[in-house]
Amino acid sequence: MKVTIKLDSMLAKQVKNSASEEKSSVEDYITNVLSNHVKTGNFEQRQFVGKQIDSDKIDIQSHLVMMDGIYYRFDLINEKEPTADVKYTVVGNNGNVLYLKKQL
């Protein structure tokens, strides 16, 4: 779904600064904020979708990723193997499988 919103200049600047601090795009930042405040979906959707993780939290041999002290299975979006020293964003889940996308 595509949505257009109007923000006053002060709020727009705050959103841009907050997104920059999180090393995220404005679109990803707003999606993350909304996901964290709209109480729908399951635990993983509410807690992890939109969060960023470092590639060192991904264990390719066991095919597990650690999120907040809990191990989950994962699938990579547009990649076969994780790339070292990059950040990934949790973009969705199916049960206890998290979908990870490499940050550009």
Side-chain angles (χ1 to χ4, degrees), residues 7-24:
L7 304 175
D8 64 53
S9 61
M10 189 169 137
L11 180 57
K13 186 175 180 177
Q14 289 172 326
V15 168
K16 287 178 185 177
N17 289 342
S18 294
S20 178
E21 287 173 11
E22 292 189 11
K23 296 182 173 55
S24 176

Side-chain angles (χ1 to χ4, degrees), residues 38-53:
V38 175
K39 300 298 179 193
T40 60
N42 58 33
F43 174 79
E44 286 79 12
Q45 287 171 334
R46 290 189 311 269
Q47 296 297 319
F48 302 137
V49 171
K51 281 194 171 183
Q52 293 184 359
I53 59 166

Side-chain angles (χ1 to χ4, degrees), residues 17-101:
N17 289 342
S18 294
S20 178
E21 287 173 11
E22 292 189 11
K23 296 182 173 55
S24 176
S25 69
V26 170
E27 180 180 352
D28 288 344
Y29 175 78
I30 291 172
T31 300
N32 188 29
V33 168
L34 290 173
S35 295
N36 288 333
H37 287 85
V38 175
K39 300 298 179 193
T40 60
N42 58 33
F43 174 79
E44 286 79 12
Q45 287 171 334
R46 290 189 311 269
Q47 296 297 319
F48 302 137
V49 171
K51 281 194 171 183
Q52 293 184 359
I53 59 166
D54 293 321
S55 59
D56 64 353
K57 300 288 186 192
I58 299 172
D59 184 343
I60 191 64
Q61 291 177 343
S62 64
H63 206 72
L64 297 173
V65 59
M66 182 183 282
M67 292 293 299
D68 295 344
I70 303 169
Y71 284 100
Y72 288 88
R73 290 182 292 147
F74 70 90
D75 282 329
L76 297 173
I77 306 297
N78 299 325
E79 280 189 294
K80 291 184 180 185
E81 301 273 330
T83 305
D85 301 322
V86 298
K87 289 191 182 282
Y88 286 84
T89 300
V90 179
V91 295
N93 79 299
N94 184 8
N96 67 344
V97 177
L98 302 179
Y99 299 116
L100 307 177
K101 184 176 180 184

